Amino acid sequence: MKLGKVITITSGKGGVGKTTLTANLSAALASIGRKVVAIDTDIGLRNLDVVMGLENRIVYDLVDVIEGRCRLKQAMIKDKRVNSLYMIPAAQTRDKMSISPTDMVLVCDQLREEMDYILIDSPAGIERGFQNALAPSDQVLIVTNPEVSAVRDADRIIGLVDAAEKGPAQLLVNRLKPEMVARGDMLSINDIVEILAVDVLGIIPEDESILISSNRGTPLTLDNGHMPRARIAVQNVARRIEGESVPFIDLTAREGLLSKVKGWFGG
Amino acid sequence: MNKEIASSQITIKGIRDGLLISVGRYYSFADLYKELKEEVTQKGSFLRNSRIALEVGGQILTLEELTNLQILFAQHGMALWAILSRREATREAARELGLATRLPGSKMDLQGNGKPDPALAPEATQNQQPPNALLIKETLRSGRHVFYEGHIVIVGDVNPGAEVVAEGDIIVWGKLRGLVHAGAAGDTQATISAIDLSPTQLRIADRIAVTPPAEKNQHILPETALIRDNQIIAEPWK
Ligand SMILES: Nc1ncnc2c1ncn2[C@@H]1O[C@H](COP(=O)(O)OP(=O)(O)OP(=O)(O)O)[C@@H](O)[C@H]1O
Ligand SMILES: [Mg+2]
């Protein structure tokens, strides 16, 4: 029997890339042979299924499981592109109050027995949906963008995670634009860490291939033709979750010349 | 046992409408929640099926925090029906959740004026003199609100988005970047000191000041803010 780990991906501010990173990170972990299930807990605003390209295969959802209309297995959609990747969609026509933190703990406890990783895509904000996503969590990843308002909201969430005794949370800095940082027009990783005082688990650059892959429903980490920087950055996060110590890549290097470690540039 | 160092600040008392739980001094919701959780978990079987009125003192509790408390009690088979608070914001949130904000027959009216009926109030709130300073050894992140009737000393940072309000002085052994208000009850002698004094906004008594935008890599030196000639000024911390 396995004893899977529950990883919650959350943020204070909306639209910073939680769903995108949940999809890509799940695929990256599955690609290195782990058994992974991604759960969309954004009830009423589901979209993890779209980003993962599994929308048309939905029959049952998370609320169906919780309310006993189907078995857990029936709501788990298996990805056909990679072995051992599953996803449980959110209900689209219900609201956040239809599941409770206790429900999430029970569902995840069942999943732990079969899975290596359970990734939870949380809704933005600090209310019930966040509590649901946090309740079963073993590791909390906070997504932020290098901008003042997103960092402020991340700070708030880090405090709430601590208060719930689920900390310390770790940070995923998404949509970093190295040129802008170099010009002093964007918060640097140092600026962010100075305020938030938590560990950074990953730095993902702004990369249009992420957007393209989301629209096509193919997580970057499953797209064999492609090795953009964002993909490598996500794969590095997966390896760090696995316990490897992977140096941060230099995002200021030209594409294809990724190499040296240089402080906090990226990766 | 010496009340000042009693580990639990919680008192429970039977009243006509069930139980009155009073929490003593705490400075964050997390603390309050943790203490209450311990208490109801420990005394679960004794408290089960009771109706609970909760007296929370002068801290502001948000709608979401009250919801968490409601859930906590519900999980242990108790029904929270009233919140007694000295703060209108807290009572407002409580009413939104359909909770009562006074006890029937109590002198503590909807505006929170007046003390609760002495017969109903737990002893702890009557004869305990609060110490004159509160020591907080952690960083206050965005969204935290700390209020104290005396001085506040913080060993840690105060991040943007956090608020610290004291009736006395405020001392921050760290970076002060949030909102601080010293002398909140009107004391114009109150001061605010920090290793790095760059709050979003700083208030002493009824004066308000805003920190000028910092220049990058400016040399940091500990400063004290105080009122002189009717104006808030900052000078090197002595
Ligand atoms: N590294 C990146 N580079 C470019 N675009 C990105 C990157 N990460 C995310 N995006 C884009 O940002 C938008 C928002 O992303 P996403 O939906 O994942 O955010 P979210 O945090 O899940 O939002 P919500 O709070 O609404 O759930 C999407 O259009 C996505 O394609
Ligand atoms: Mg999302």
Side-chain angles (χ1 to χ4, degrees), chain B residues 102-159:
Chain B
R102 61 187 293 232
L103 300 175
S106 145
K107 284 208 218 83
M108 193 178 222
D109 64 10
L110 286 172
Q111 271 65 51
N113 300 319
K115 288 254 149 58
D117 195 326
L120 299 175
E123 298 149 41
T125 55
Q126 285 175 20
N127 46 27
Q128 219 176 56
Q129 268 298 338
N132 67 2
L134 172 70
L135 174 65
I136 298 174
K137 284 179 159 171
E138 68 177 302
T139 287
L140 301 181
R141 295 183 182 278
S142 174
R144 287 286 292 278
H145 176 91
V146 174
F147 166 80
Y148 194 65
E149 285 158 24
H151 311 299
I152 297 180
V153 180
I154 295 167
V155 181
D157 299 341
V158 177
N159 283 0

Side-chain angles (χ1 to χ4, degrees), chain A:
Chain A
M1 195 176 85
K2 293 189 188 274
L3 193 59
K5 184 175 197 181
V6 179
I7 302 176
T8 298
I9 291 119
T10 188
S11 72
K13 192 170 190 280
V16 293
K18 295 177 294 296
T19 301
T20 309
L21 294 183
T22 304
N24 283 285
L25 199 51
S26 303
L29 285 163
S31 306
I32 51 178
R34 298 291 171 249
K35 225 173 155 186
V36 182
V37 60
I39 310 180
D40 189 348
T41 60
D42 204 347
I43 313 289
L45 283 172
R46 81 170 175 220
N47 55 12
L48 182 63
D49 53 310
V50 180
V51 175
M52 292 181 78
L54 300 171
E55 184 185 14
N56 56 6
R57 297 188 35 216
I58 295 179
V59 181
Y60 294 110
D61 59 49
L62 184 59
V63 175
D64 290 323
V65 175
I66 285 164
E67 296 182 348
R69 278 187 295 277
C70 70
R71 282 175 293 108
L72 184 52
K73 284 248 163 66
Q74 290 175 292
M76 294 170 65
I77 303 170
K78 185 170 174 4
D79 196 305
K80 289 178 176 151
R81 294 157 294 192
V82 58
N83 263 331
S84 72
L85 178 59
Y86 301 80
M87 132 71 213
I88 301 177
Q92 181 66 315
T93 54
R94 302 291 295 275
D95 68 39
K96 307 202 170 11
M97 297 313 261
S98 27
I99 55 178
S100 73
T102 316
D103 294 330
M104 284 304 296
V105 171
L106 294 177
V107 166
C108 288
D109 280 349
Q110 247 177 298
L111 289 168
R112 279 180 214 276
E113 295 177 9
E114 311 239 345
M115 297 285 149
D116 294 303
Y117 292 106
I118 298 126
L119 269 67
I120 300 182
D121 179 16
S122 158
I126 54 176
E127 273 132 42
R128 180 63 166 269
F130 166 69
Q131 303 291 351
N132 287 337
L134 187 64
S137 180
D138 299 314
Q139 184 175 7
V140 183
L141 307 184
I142 309 229
V143 183
T144 189
N145 294 345
E147 47 180 87
V148 174
S149 63
V151 170
R152 178 78 57 93
D153 292 350
D155 191 46
R156 172 107 215 248
I157 293 290
I158 292 167
L160 294 176
V161 171
D162 282 344
E165 290 170 13
K166 296 284 187 183
Q170 293 164 302
L171 217 56
L172 295 176
V173 181
N174 188 26
R175 309 196 75 158
L176 189 90
K177 296 194 184 114
E179 332 75 62
M180 280 184 74
V181 176
R183 285 202 307 267
D185 291 335
M186 188 178 248
L187 289 177
S188 71
I189 300 298
N190 276 331
D191 296 336
I192 297 171
V193 170
E194 216 232 322
I195 294 175
L196 298 182
V198 291
D199 285 345
V200 176
L201 193 72
I203 301 165
I204 298 92
E206 171 78 21
D207 190 336
E208 67 175 19
S209 58
I210 285 227
L211 199 121
I212 297 166
S213 78
S214 292
N215 288 339
R216 285 208 320 237
T218 313
L220 269 186
T221 31
L222 292 183
D223 185 346
N224 286 326
H226 245 70
M227 250 326 183
R229 282 191 285 209
R231 173 175 177 171
I232 296 171
V234 172
Q235 284 172 333
N236 285 351
V237 175
R239 289 166 60 194
R240 291 183 194 117
I241 287 175
E242 285 271 286
E244 245 182 271
S245 96
V246 186
F248 286 80
I249 50 175
D250 181 359
L251 290 176
T252 55
R254 270 186 298 127
E255 187 98 28
L257 286 178
L258 306 162
S259 57
K260 286 195 230 132
V261 192
K262 244 203 199 160
W264 282 116
F265 276 118

Side-chain angles (χ1 to χ4, degrees), chain B residues 17-173:
Chain B
D17 304 284
L19 295 174
L20 174 66
I21 301 186
S22 298
V23 289
R25 292 187 302 275
Y26 60 94
Y27 66 86
S28 73
F29 178 73
D31 287 341
L32 168 67
Y33 188 87
K34 215 168 117 193
E35 286 223 10
L36 274 175
K37 188 173 171 184
E38 259 165 42
E39 193 76 12
V40 297
T41 311
Q42 262 170 31
K43 306 201 173 137
S45 53
F46 165 65
L47 300 173
R48 195 160 274 281
N49 296 325
S50 356
R51 282 160 52 76
I52 306 288
L54 185 67
E55 188 181 28
V56 293
Q59 279 272 6
I60 292 182
L61 293 181
T62 63
L63 191 68
E64 126 220 349
E65 290 166 345
L66 289 175
T67 311
N68 286 351
L69 293 178
Q70 225 175 2
I71 294 172
L72 173 69
F73 285 118
Q75 279 168 347
H76 291 82
M78 296 166 231
L80 180 65
W81 70 277
I83 291 285
L84 307 181
S85 165
R86 295 206 299 274
R87 294 305 192 102
E88 175 54 24
T90 305
R91 293 195 296 269
E92 178 92 23
R95 283 193 287 272
E96 226 166 290
L97 285 173
L99 299 171
T101 51
R102 61 187 293 232
L103 300 175
S106 145
K107 284 208 218 83
M108 193 178 222
D109 64 10
L110 286 172
Q111 271 65 51
N113 300 319
K115 288 254 149 58
D117 195 326
L120 299 175
E123 298 149 41
T125 55
Q126 285 175 20
N127 46 27
Q128 219 176 56
Q129 268 298 338
N132 67 2
L134 172 70
L135 174 65
I136 298 174
K137 284 179 159 171
E138 68 177 302
T139 287
L140 301 181
R141 295 183 182 278
S142 174
R144 287 286 292 278
H145 176 91
V146 174
F147 166 80
Y148 194 65
E149 285 158 24
H151 311 299
I152 297 180
V153 180
I154 295 167
V155 181
D157 299 341
V158 177
N159 283 0
E163 291 177 15
V164 181
V165 181
E167 292 190 355
D169 298 343
I170 295 171
I171 296 174
V172 179
W173 193 259

